[in-house]
Amino acid sequence: MTRREHLPEVLPAPPESGTGAQPVPGTPSAARNSVPGRRPVALASGGLAVVLLPVLTLLLGLGAVPGFLLVWSAGWIVLAAAGWLLDQRTPRRWPGWALLAAVPPAVVDLVFGVPVGVALLVVGPVLAWLAQCRCTELALDLAELDVEVAVPVGTGKLRIGRDRAVLAQSTRSGGGHVDHALPLAELALAQPGEVDADDAWWPLPGGTRVRLRRGPAVRLVAGRQQWVLPVEDPRLVAAIARRRATAAWPQRTGPQTVDAWQALRKWAVARTKTFRSGRQAQAYPAFRALLGFAAAVLGSGLLASAVGRGLTDIGVWIVGAVLLVLGGYFVVAWLRVRKRLKFAELQQLPPHSPTWGDLRPDVAPVLGWRPWR
């Protein structure tokens, strides 16, 4: 491969040279400057969902529930609370932590005749979702926070975190589709603008495309990569990306050879591909974590019952231990896969690849692109 040629795996590519683009006035951002009490309200609602309500649910069955099951449930509440506190930068995962905290006390209360505890399975995740919405409500002050912000992009989402921006597109047939990511530490351009064309498309490495409808859009350039994405408020998105870029941590360097890059790409595609009903389809490795937590909750519950009741049936001990070990294995396996997938998302272009289109700020990389002043 020469420096002017793209590998077939990433084609089709945008034109190497664009046309001159004249800036236009554009539309001011409609976002508020700040959301009053954003973090305190979000943290209070999240704490209520993940800690306080599960504890109150346990207290409802205090007289009927054996002590060993109370300890078992309390242990899972502590684990979920720790996960939620450590996951403060990713509000979209808060409902999952609330559900993990809700399941043990709800199951215990239901088994021992306190059915009102089952309501926690709905109330907890809903409260956590409301906390997530409050924490990520779009406003200019989000640029100063390090929480992940999700902005709709057609049928997908643009997630801007502390160190990276991820384009998560809707699932397509065939499977093997890996999200695309840009390292914010390498951000060179975050340009608001608009697309003045009816049926324009922006290609992404690997053969996928983003449809650009006539209207506002944002242009992001980082390293050799470039995105043009339709968003409702490009000035807000550009401001958040620019501010995050000033404090972003550099990402680990990618593969140094084309062979290493192809091996990484092959691995990532295999992890996101499965078969359903005899057809190749998109795989969701995150389900490993859900399956792992479910197995670990059930297995630890069996072991807690065996200890508390002094059971001598070896079958209960074996089943509980196997489920607990399998649950831990699935969770750890997912964490390992997720870490490498996040790395692969940043490596959409091979080493020594030419730039993805024309990166100059005064040039239109796609038909109809007009930057805003």
Side-chain angles (χ1 to χ4, degrees):
M1 184 188 74
T2 67
R3 294 188 63 86
R4 290 188 173 276
E5 294 177 346
H6 283 290
L7 288 180
E9 291 94 330
V10 303
L11 296 177
E16 293 184 4
S17 298
T19 58
Q22 294 297 322
V24 296
T27 305
S29 174
R32 295 189 284 174
N33 288 328
S34 64
V35 175
R38 177 196 297 277
R39 292 304 291 269
V41 172
L43 290 175
S45 302
L48 181 64
V50 179
V51 181
L52 187 56
L53 284 181
V55 170
L56 291 177
T57 302
L58 271 185
L59 294 178
L60 289 176
L62 192 59
V65 178
F68 62 87
L69 288 181
L70 290 175
V71 173
W72 169 70
S73 299
W76 278 104
I77 293 173
V78 170
L79 180 63
W84 172 67
L85 288 173
L86 293 173
D87 212 15
Q88 288 297 295
R89 292 195 182 101
T90 318
R92 62 186 166 90
R93 291 201 286 260
W94 291 358
W97 293 117
L99 183 62
L100 180 62
V103 169
V107 170
V108 167
D109 281 359
L110 181 62
V111 170
F112 288 90
V114 191
V116 68
V118 180
L120 181 63
L121 296 174
V122 176
V123 175
V126 168
L127 270 177
W129 175 75
L130 292 174
Q132 167 201 339
C133 294
R134 182 69 174 184
C135 188
T136 58
E137 186 176 346
L138 294 179
L140 291 173
D141 65 329
L142 275 176
E144 303 298 328
L145 304 178
D146 59 358
V147 298
E148 182 185 82
V149 182
V151 181
V153 176
T155 57
K157 286 186 180 296
L158 172 65
R159 298 186 180 127
I160 307 176
R162 184 188 66 179
D163 305 314
R164 50 197 270 141
V166 178
L167 178 59
Q169 293 182 283
S170 60
T171 303
R172 300 175 184 271
S173 61
H177 301 286
V178 182
D179 290 341
H180 291 241
L182 293 181
L184 290 179
E186 300 177 21
L187 187 73
L189 180 66
Q191 186 180 59
E194 62 186 43
V195 176
D196 188 21
D198 287 323
D199 196 24
W201 295 82
W202 181 253
L204 296 172
T208 58
R209 301 187 299 172
V210 177
R211 185 172 185 179
L212 301 174
R213 301 181 184 276
R214 185 185 295 270
V218 67
R219 179 186 180 190
L220 301 175
V221 175
R224 290 170 286 113
Q225 263 282 29
Q226 179 172 208
W227 292 348
V228 180
L229 306 174
V231 295
E232 291 186 4
D233 195 337
R235 293 194 190 275
L236 175 63
V237 174
I240 293 174
R242 288 193 207 104
R243 181 62 184 90
R244 299 282 177 93
T246 62
W249 291 6
Q251 304 294 292
R252 186 167 51 178
T253 57
Q256 301 301 307
T257 66
V258 172
D259 289 342
W261 177 82
Q262 289 174 332
L264 176 64
R265 178 183 175 86
K266 182 179 179 180
W267 176 90
V269 169
R271 298 289 82 74
T272 52
K273 187 183 297 183
T274 188
F275 288 88
R276 286 192 291 270
S277 302
R279 291 185 173 183
Q280 193 168 283
Q282 183 75 10
Y284 299 97
F287 279 117
R288 294 186 185 186
L290 297 178
L291 181 61
F293 278 120
V297 168
L298 180 57
S300 62
L302 288 175
L303 291 177
S305 298
V307 172
R309 298 183 184 279
L311 299 180
T312 58
D313 185 356
I314 192 65
V316 175
W317 288 88
I318 291 176
V319 171
V322 168
L323 285 174
L324 186 59
V325 171
L326 278 177
Y329 168 78
F330 280 124
V331 172
V332 172
W334 158 237
L335 291 175
R336 290 168 62 100
V337 168
R338 186 186 68 165
K339 182 178 180 180
R340 197 173 182 200
L341 274 178
K342 290 177 69 174
F343 176 62
E345 291 169 1
L346 291 164
Q347 316 302 327
Q348 296 292 346
L349 289 178
H352 313 302
S353 171
T355 59
W356 197 251
D358 197 323
L359 307 186
R360 291 174 294 176
D362 57 346
V363 169
V366 66
L367 181 65
W369 170 253
R370 299 194 299 181
W372 287 352
R373 296 193 185 99

